[in-house]
């Protein structure tokens, strides 16, 4: 009886949070008619955009990430070492076209800006005051590349990640319009509400962000999918999916897979991760969480209420580690957002260290905190030594994704060194204050976009000490790891 009351009350509280935070958010209503034979789609996006800034806006800007998958794009979507893995059947390219834009009932000329026309600028007929809203309707079409990436299709799956025009974050008097980049996850977006209608062939099984509230089968299947208070929306489809599920409190955890001899363990890992991070950082508030095995060039990728895990990860311990890492992103990126282009360490390093902490709290896994940190230290010092031998020097600062010359440099400075930074902090302040600080950080910044100063402040408030110099020394590359 006590357990029931505790779970019930916690669930109600988090539902209230979602309801409250969603009341004044921008709303995306997206219709997708997907043509499986041609791997293409006709789409309409109707956005009710709320000006949640303190500024008068005269235009709304959107990221068009699919543009970078087209032939001739000036920004590479991958490092050269990953091309063969991403394109097993040879190079392939997307097409993406904006057909029309209507703002508050007025047809608008399509205006592209930025690197490789990666930004759509929609001028407004009337200035948009703070707290006012405007309706923008965008008709667009795309065809997918045969590419095992966020936006593309492979042998078994179709990935629709970052596939639609998404509003750029407005801050400091301007829109953030940084382009796509091969390093990391170069994304930055605000929390919004989503209502998605997806029309697909009847034999396609759909995994998505959000909750499927209706499914009608006729000549094709029409899904109605909704989710409030998330910062992005993704879909993965396959004719070969099998599905397992398990409940955590009020959340349905579903595992979509096509080739996993350890499928039960994979599902349990996702369950254990949601449960552990809920208890340590703050309750997971959504009704669904999908773990999706897919054809993907990297180990995994996070989206709100949905994570993808590459079928190329064959070792069971590595596979589970990807699940845990991407699940931790539901807290660090999903609910507590940040500019992943400028401050990639803020979510990636913290997520990677949260993954290591997971093994302290859950029995039955073959990885340990100490062993993983020691491996990071050995690998990082070897990386620095090799780079210095080759180049004579190395910049080990934790900087924006476009400031790294190679993907390994990015990986070691953000992920590996990031783990060492947080483990040093963990040793300095102790487990109790470390976890309490992360709870504080989560509570103060959930459903917003955080900055490094927000994280530092959360630790300083809980630990009662000045930690800015600690973080600065690691971020600026002054710390020497031995």
């Amino acid at each position: 009886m006590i357990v029931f009351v505790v779970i019930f009350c916690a669930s109600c509280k988090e539902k209230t949070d979602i309801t409250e935070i969603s009341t004044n958010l921008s709303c995306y209503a997206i219709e997708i008619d997907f043509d499986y034979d041609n791997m293409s789609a006709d789409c309409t996006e109707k956005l009710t955009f709320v000006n949640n800034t303190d500024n008068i806006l005269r235009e709304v800007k959107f990221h068009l990430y699919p543009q970078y998958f087209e032939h001739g794009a000036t920004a590479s979507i991958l490092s050269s070492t990953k091309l063969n893995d991403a394109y097993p059947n040879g190079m392939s390219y997307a097409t993406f076209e904006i057909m029309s834009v209507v703002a508050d009932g007025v047809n608008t000329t399509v205006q592209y800006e930025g690197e490789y026309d990666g930004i759509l600028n929609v001028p407004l007929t009337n200035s948009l005051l703070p707290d006012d809203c405007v309706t923008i309707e965008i008709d667009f079409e795309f065809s997918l590349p045969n590419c095992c990436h966020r936006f593309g299709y492979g042998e078994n799956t179709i990935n629709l990640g970052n596939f639609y025009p998404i509003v750029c974050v407005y801050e400091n008097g301007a829109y953030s319009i940084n382009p796509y980049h091969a390093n990391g996850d170069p994304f930055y977006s605000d929390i919004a509400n989503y209502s998605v209608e997806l029309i697909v062939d009847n034999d396609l099984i759909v995994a998505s962000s959000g909750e499927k509230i209706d499914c009608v089968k006729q000549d094709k299947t029409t899904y109605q999918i909704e989710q409030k208070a998330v910062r992005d929306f993704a879909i993965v489809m396959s004719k070969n999916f099998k599905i397992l599920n398990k409940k955590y409190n009020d959340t349905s955890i579903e595992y979509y897979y096509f080739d996993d001899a350890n499928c039960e363990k994979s599902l349990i890992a996702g369950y254990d991760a949601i449960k552990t991070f809920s208890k340590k950082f703050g309750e997971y508030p959504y009704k669904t969480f999908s773990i999706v095995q897919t054809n993907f060039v990297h180990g995994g990728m996070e989206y709100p209420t949905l994570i993808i895990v590459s079928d190329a990860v064959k070792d069971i311990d590595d596979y589970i580690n990807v699940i845990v890492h991407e699940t931790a992103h539901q807290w660090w990126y999903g609910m507590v957002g940040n500019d992943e282009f400028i401050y990639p360490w803020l979510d990636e390093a913290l997520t990677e260290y949260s993954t290591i902490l997971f093994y302290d709290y859950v029995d039955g896994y073959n990885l340990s905190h100490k062993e993983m940190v020691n491996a990071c230290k050995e690998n990082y010092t070897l990386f620095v030594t090799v780079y210095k031998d080759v180049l004579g020097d190395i910049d080990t600062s934790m900087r924006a994704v476009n400031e790294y010359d190679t993907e390994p440099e990015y990986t070691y400075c953000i992920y590996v060194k990031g783990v060492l930074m947080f483990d040093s902090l963990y040793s300095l302040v102790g487990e109790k204050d470390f976890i309490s600080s992360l709870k504080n950080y989560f509570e103060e910044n959930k459903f917003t976009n955080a900055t490094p100063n927000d994280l530092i402040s959360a630790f300083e408030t809980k630990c009662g000490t000045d930690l800015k110099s600690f973080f600065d020394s690691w971020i600026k590359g002054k710390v020497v790891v031995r």
Side-chain angles (χ1 to χ4, degrees), residues 22 41 46 138 162 174 181 183 253 255 279 345 423 438:
S22 67
K46 187 174 182 179
I138 305 170
N162 313 102
H181 199 277
N183 289 335
I253 300 171
Y255 178 40
K279 292 180 180 299
W345 68 268
D423 194 63
L438 290 184

Side-chain angles (χ1 to χ4, degrees), residues 188-366:
Y188 190 25
S189 55
D190 287 316
I191 292 286
N193 299 327
Y194 284 83
S195 177
V196 176
E197 179 181 279
L198 173 65
I199 302 173
V200 296
D201 288 1
N202 288 327
D203 55 354
L204 272 176
I205 301 167
V206 174
S208 75
S209 299
E211 183 181 2
K212 300 184 187 76
I213 61 171
D214 196 13
C215 175
V216 178
K217 287 195 174 185
Q218 295 177 340
D219 293 337
K220 299 182 82 172
T221 301
T222 301
Y223 290 93
Q224 298 290 340
I225 310 167
E226 292 188 358
Q227 183 58 67
K228 294 180 178 179
V230 289
R231 67 183 66 254
D232 203 348
F233 195 97
I235 298 167
V236 184
M237 300 180 284
S238 177
K239 294 185 177 183
N240 302 318
F241 276 147
K242 303 171 187 176
I243 307 173
L244 295 175
N245 61 74
K246 186 175 177 64
K247 292 278 284 189
Y248 169 72
N249 288 353
D250 202 27
T251 299
S252 176
I253 300 171
E254 295 186 330
Y255 178 40
Y256 296 77
Y257 68 99
F258 51 86
D259 181 22
D260 185 0
N262 301 289
C263 54
E264 293 283 354
K265 290 183 179 179
S266 298
L267 174 66
I268 292 299
Y271 170 87
D272 285 344
I274 287 287
K275 179 179 179 180
T276 300
F277 296 138
S278 289
K279 292 180 180 299
K280 295 301 177 182
F281 306 145
E283 279 293 326
Y284 181 83
Y286 305 108
K287 288 186 176 181
T288 64
F289 178 63
S290 297
I291 305 159
V292 187
Q293 183 184 54
T294 189
N295 304 132
F296 189 53
V297 64
H298 301 296
M301 178 65 192
E302 72 279 1
Y303 290 98
T305 79
L306 178 146
I307 63 172
I308 61 179
V309 187
S310 173
D311 66 321
V313 180
K314 299 302 183 183
D315 180 83
I316 179 60
D317 291 338
D318 290 341
Y319 196 89
I320 285 174
N321 199 58
V322 172
I323 291 174
V324 176
H325 173 97
E326 304 304 345
T327 303
H329 267 303
Q330 298 301 306
W331 282 259
W332 319 131
Y333 153 76
M335 286 180 274
V336 179
N338 64 281
D339 188 337
E340 295 181 300
F341 191 98
I342 301 297
Y343 306 115
W345 68 268
L346 190 53
D347 66 299
E348 287 297 354
L350 182 53
T351 293
E352 187 73 350
Y353 194 66
S354 298
T355 304
I356 289 176
L357 291 177
F358 169 85
Y359 299 105
D360 285 341
Y361 302 120
V362 187
D363 295 330
Y365 293 93
N366 297 323

Side-chain angles (χ1 to χ4, degrees), residues 173-184:
Y175 285 101
S176 176
I177 58 172
N178 287 314
Y180 198 99
H181 199 277
N183 289 335

